[in-house]
Amino acid sequence: MADAQISYKFLRNRNLEVKLNVRNLFNRVKEYYNNYNSYVSKKDAGSNLDTVRESMELLPGATNKYDRDIDKILFRAYSGRIFGLSVNYTF
């Protein structure tokens, strides 16, 4: 996510300031995914493991990050670009 701000001061005494703000400049999407499909149960998992994830291992070719062909996207959030304009005048 990238933001930008431009400001300029007007008038002779420079007491009028205009600011333009842009948030999410590149309009990136936020994706939430389930990495469960990248794992398979270990055959020799013992009973001394603390979590279910410890009893699983990665599939061949899978990573613990997002794999486009394996993992399922649960949710996509498009927030769009957000523009703001502020005008300040000091006496």
Side-chain angles (χ1 to χ4, degrees):
M1 185 180 274
D3 299 340
Q5 179 181 38
I6 298 172
S7 66
Y8 189 78
K9 292 188 177 187
F10 293 96
L11 300 179
R12 184 170 291 175
N13 295 332
R14 319 242 334 135
N15 52 358
L16 178 66
E17 182 179 26
V18 178
K19 290 182 187 178
L20 174 66
N21 297 301
V22 182
R23 293 181 55 200
N24 197 9
L25 191 62
F26 302 116
N27 200 15
R28 299 275 317 247
V29 63
K30 296 175 187 171
E31 294 181 331
Y32 300 90
Y33 64 92
N34 186 337
N35 202 16
Y36 187 75
N37 293 336
S38 294
Y39 290 87
V40 65
S41 295
K42 291 181 185 177
K43 294 179 183 170
D44 59 352
S47 61
N48 60 350
L49 301 174
D50 293 334
T51 64
V52 176
R53 181 67 80 176
E54 289 178 354
S55 67
M56 303 180 92
E57 63 185 357
L58 283 170
L59 290 169
T63 64
N64 61 354
K65 297 181 181 177
Y66 176 66
D67 296 314
R68 177 174 286 179
D69 299 330
I70 300 171
D71 298 330
K72 180 180 178 182
I73 294 178
L74 300 175
F75 180 73
R76 283 189 176 112
Y78 297 93
S79 60
R81 288 182 192 95
I82 300 169
F83 295 92
L85 180 68
S86 66
V87 179
N88 296 320
Y89 184 80
T90 54
F91 295 96

